[in-house]
Amino acid sequence: MVAPVIILLGPPGAGKGTQARMLEEDFGLVQLSTGDLLRAAVAAGTEAGRKAKAVMEAGQLVSDDIVLAILKDRMAAPDVSKGVILDGFPRTGAQAAALDKLLADSGQRVTAAISLEVDDEAMIARVSGRYTCGGCGEGYHDQFKQPATAGTCDKCGGTGFKRRADDNAETVRERLTAYHAQTAPLIAHYEWQSVLERVPAMGSIAGIRAMLADIVGRVAA
Ligand code: AMP
């Protein structure tokens, strides 16, 4: 069987990362986030990371050649054969075309592209206050979800928390602009390939998880 390739599309704050981790748990697929891969490259101080850092902090898109090199490298790892959930990739027409080609070379194609449909203004509030546990990655928010005991992670008991350098209101506006200009047009690309699924994603995390599980269960069976 050809392994499923599921794409999550949506603006910053739509819940791509949260839902991708849940699909990993529910279906044994591998989450592949180009944002995470780029942040790891920045932290490691690699050449790609040094080039990407300022672009990411400005909320703009890193060049296709850097992103594609990082993605191809990750796609070559053995665990990817279980199937992947692409979170934050592709983000441009050139990336979508490169992905189609990469998959076609091994007789594969995109199984489903799921567009998480949300309101922009709500995304600014969501993204601006979010932070994660440095130990287990559990997500929190200044307004919407504080740990039960202040300063201690509910899930792993860790006390170190991280905030992304680009999760502030000004940079989120830039990221939304980049999304609408460069990424939203991909919705039509996948509609044309007859693999597009639209999911209303302003509701509860559990409700959206259930809708995604229905879709993935159907297309990846
Ligand atoms: P994310 O974690 O998906 O929100 O991505 C954080 C930042 O990393 C984005 O604002 C971009 O600067 C960069 N980035 C992540 N994925 C891509 C991509 N596929 N193409 C270009 N830039 C990306």
Side-chain angles (χ1 to χ4, degrees):
M1 191 194 96
V2 175
V5 177
I6 310 288
I7 296 173
L8 294 185
L9 287 169
K16 300 185 295 297
T18 304
Q19 295 296 339
R21 281 189 291 279
M22 292 180 169
L23 289 173
E24 265 194 331
E25 275 177 32
D26 293 348
F27 292 93
L29 303 173
V30 174
Q31 176 193 15
L32 213 157
S33 153
T34 43
D36 285 350
L37 294 171
L38 287 165
R39 279 184 288 280
V42 170
T46 64
E47 195 192 337
R50 282 197 301 277
K51 285 186 187 154
K53 186 171 188 285
V55 180
M56 291 171 77
E57 282 172 5
Q60 288 156 7
L61 293 187
V62 174
S63 69
D64 289 333
D65 54 336
I66 291 181
V67 174
L68 285 168
I70 283 185
L71 180 94
K72 280 185 183 158
D73 206 38
R74 181 67 185 85
M75 291 281 274
D79 62 337
V80 163
S81 63
K82 293 191 254 178
V84 288
I85 309 148
L86 295 171
D87 151 16
F89 180 92
R91 259 178 158 99
T92 64
Q95 291 180 14
L99 175 66
D100 288 344
K101 169 141 194 343
L102 187 71
L103 293 175
D105 286 348
S106 56
Q108 286 175 279
R109 63 192 293 262
V110 170
T111 313
I114 305 175
S115 170
L116 300 177
E117 315 236 308
V118 292
D119 305 335
D120 273 17
E121 283 308 308
M123 294 308 103
I124 295 170
R126 257 198 212 177
V127 174
S128 304
R130 72 184 181 181
Y131 60 97
T132 53
C133 170
C136 70
E138 181 72 356
Y140 294 97
H141 194 282
D142 292 330
Q143 243 181 306
F144 311 127
K145 187 190 165 197
Q146 292 279 16
T149 307
T152 305
C153 176
D154 296 341
K155 202 168 170 190
C156 75
T159 53
F161 294 88
K162 297 192 293 195
R163 248 173 231 274
R164 281 171 45 172
D166 59 350
D167 277 353
N168 57 75
E170 193 190 332
T171 311
V172 178
R173 281 184 204 283
E174 275 298 321
R175 289 161 60 198
L176 281 168
T177 303
Y179 175 77
H180 288 292
Q182 289 161 279
T183 309
L186 300 186
I187 291 173
H189 176 84
Y190 292 113
E191 194 156 36
W192 186 76
Q193 290 190 358
S194 306
V195 292
L196 182 72
E197 305 276 348
R198 294 178 189 270
V199 168
M202 287 303 295
S204 71
I205 291 176
I208 298 161
R209 178 184 197 163
M211 288 189 272
L212 295 188
D214 270 355
I215 295 171
V216 175
R218 171 164 49 80
V219 298

